[in-house]
Amino acid sequence: MTAVPVVIGARAPHPAPSPADTSALVDTHGRVHRDLRISLTDRCSLRCTYCMPEQGNEWLARTSILSTDELVEVAQVAASLGIRTFRLTGGEPLLRADIVDVVRRVSQIEGADGPVEVAMTTNGITLAKKLPELIDAGLTRLNISIDTVDRQRFADLTRRDRLDDVLEGIAAAAASELRPLKLNAVAMRGVNDDELVDLVAFAMDVGAQLRFIEQMPLDAGHTWDRTTMVTREEILDSLGERWDLEPVPGRGGAPAEKWRIDGGPHEVGVIASVTAPFCGACDRLRLTADGQLRNCLFSNAEYDLIGVLRGEGSMPGERSDGIADMLRSCVHGKLPGHAINDPSFLQPARGMNAIGG
């Protein structure tokens, strides 16, 4: 079976490799892929202004969402091809009714190097209630999104008055054994750029690492404006007025550059996808909630796994071969970089909530 991508933009992927190719997930630029981000839903309990509109969102049909059996089947094949970390995302993954079962079943998968790692990115709203079960099920790492610690600003930014719930989730995570605990904040001009030091101080107080993210062109409304983005250099300049920052070596394929604060032990990270892309070391693939493989967050091509998973008369062995072929084709079609700064760049048709973080 030869995998055929669904092209949803102007870029065409490379030709698919031969189905006889049984190598691990290495692209044509030598990047070995070890991380699969699995979106569990496109729905979210917040309506962040930089992500999606308050009203009029078109959600994926529930019948199109991958079942737990289906996503576990994909994860098993991916692990056999060298994927070591599965990050569960959304939308908001905690909205998935069977989230604990998803974590438990994925965490039981054995890869070539042993058990895989299961991480999650969440807005934290229902985390405090679910965290004990999630840890018991095998969750090993956690990222929590929080762009402000100011109550009114949080309500204005997310269009929901839920800061107390997020803080409760962060407190529960801080009291758990999950480490490193990371807090993600999108830096926005005129919104929270006066709060960067406060956010880092908050993270230090709870034993977490703050990671600032440059605002990216991934909003569902396609209203991204480069002028509202706070750059990596601006973030570092602001933090440098308060602390001495020392670069932490050994980044590898991690999306965040890290700096040690005043000699340690605390650190702060910056994910500068726009001004300092890290595409050359990217080792990530993404699976959307409706079964589409993506080799880049900004890709305009998707590789449809639904036909493989739900094809009539397909046997488990045939499905595994088809999933493996599709994964290799997706990796083979990966471009050198996302080209955000190229005049020809086209914003993906899907918003971040539908792609998965």
Side-chain angles (χ1 to χ4, degrees), residues 107-187:
S107 70
Q108 292 171 350
I109 295 173
E110 290 274 342
D113 300 318
V116 301
E117 183 177 55
V118 182
M120 182 183 295
T121 298
T122 173
N123 63 28
I125 285 180
T126 60
L127 183 62
K129 293 180 181 178
K130 298 178 180 178
L131 188 57
E133 285 186 285
L134 291 169
I135 294 174
D136 183 65
L139 185 70
T140 54
R141 285 194 290 121
L142 192 61
N143 289 18
I144 305 172
S145 300
I146 181 166
D147 299 318
T148 177
V149 290
D150 178 91
R151 185 173 309 282
Q152 186 57 53
R153 183 174 287 179
F154 184 94
D156 292 341
L157 181 59
T158 67
R159 303 186 179 103
R160 301 290 188 271
D161 186 12
R162 304 296 298 272
L163 179 60
D164 285 344
D165 297 312
V166 176
L167 295 178
E168 185 181 4
I170 292 173
S176 78
E177 67 267 32
L178 296 183
R179 291 295 184 277
L181 173 61
K182 298 176 182 178
L183 305 183
N184 294 343
V186 178

Side-chain angles (χ1 to χ4, degrees), residues 19-101:
D21 180 7
T22 57
S23 63
L25 298 176
V26 184
D27 68 17
T28 58
H29 309 284
R31 295 170 294 198
V32 181
H33 290 71
R34 301 183 179 90
D35 185 307
L36 179 62
R37 313 280 169 112
I38 299 177
S39 177
L40 301 182
T41 178
D42 62 329
R43 296 171 186 265
C44 189
S45 41
L46 300 177
R47 294 292 183 273
C48 296
T49 56
Y50 59 84
C51 185
M52 67 176 76
E54 165 71 8
Q55 304 291 340
N57 293 287
E58 295 185 8
W59 308 114
L60 295 172
R62 294 192 181 278
T63 54
S64 74
I65 302 294
L66 292 183
S67 69
T68 299
D69 285 344
E70 290 170 333
L71 67 85
V72 168
E73 188 172 4
V74 174
Q76 288 171 332
V77 175
S80 74
L81 296 175
I83 295 295
R84 300 174 184 172
T85 300
F86 295 91
R87 177 169 293 279
L88 305 179
T89 71
E92 172 46 50
L94 293 181
L95 290 179
R96 177 116 175 185
D98 64 345
I99 181 61
V100 174
D101 189 45

Side-chain angles (χ1 to χ4, degrees), residues 209-230:
Q209 178 192 119
L210 202 292
R211 305 196 315 168
F212 290 108
I213 303 172
E214 287 184 340
Q215 188 179 0
M216 295 175 283
L218 289 168
D219 59 301
H222 288 206
T223 61
W224 180 79
D225 183 346
R226 185 181 292 268
T227 63
T228 67
M229 179 190 72
V230 182

Side-chain angles (χ1 to χ4, degrees), residues 13-14 27-29 31 33 279 282-285 295-296 303 329-337:
H14 297 284
D27 68 17
T28 58
H29 309 284
R31 295 170 294 198
H33 290 71
C279 303
C282 180
D283 65 353
R284 289 169 293 287
L285 297 173
N295 54 32
C296 176
Y303 295 73
S329 295
C330 182
V331 168
H332 190 267
K334 190 165 183 171
L335 297 174

Side-chain angles (χ1 to χ4, degrees), residues 288-324:
T288 67
D290 58 345
Q292 305 300 308
L293 280 170
R294 299 174 65 93
N295 54 32
C296 176
L297 192 55
F298 301 97
S299 178
N300 281 297
E302 296 181 339
Y303 295 73
D304 184 10
L305 277 174
I306 291 294
V308 177
L309 293 166
R310 300 181 183 179
E312 290 186 14
S314 62
M315 302 296 289
E318 295 173 350
R319 287 199 302 271
S320 294
D321 289 344
I323 293 166

Side-chain angles (χ1 to χ4, degrees), residues 213-257:
I213 303 172
E214 287 184 340
Q215 188 179 0
M216 295 175 283
L218 289 168
D219 59 301
H222 288 206
T223 61
W224 180 79
D225 183 346
R226 185 181 292 268
T227 63
T228 67
M229 179 190 72
V230 182
T231 69
R232 167 186 180 274
E233 292 306 316
E234 290 174 300
I235 293 168
L236 294 177
D237 286 346
S238 178
L239 301 182
E241 293 178 3
R242 171 63 178 82
W243 297 289
D244 290 327
L245 302 178
E246 175 189 353
V248 177
R251 176 182 182 181
E257 295 176 89

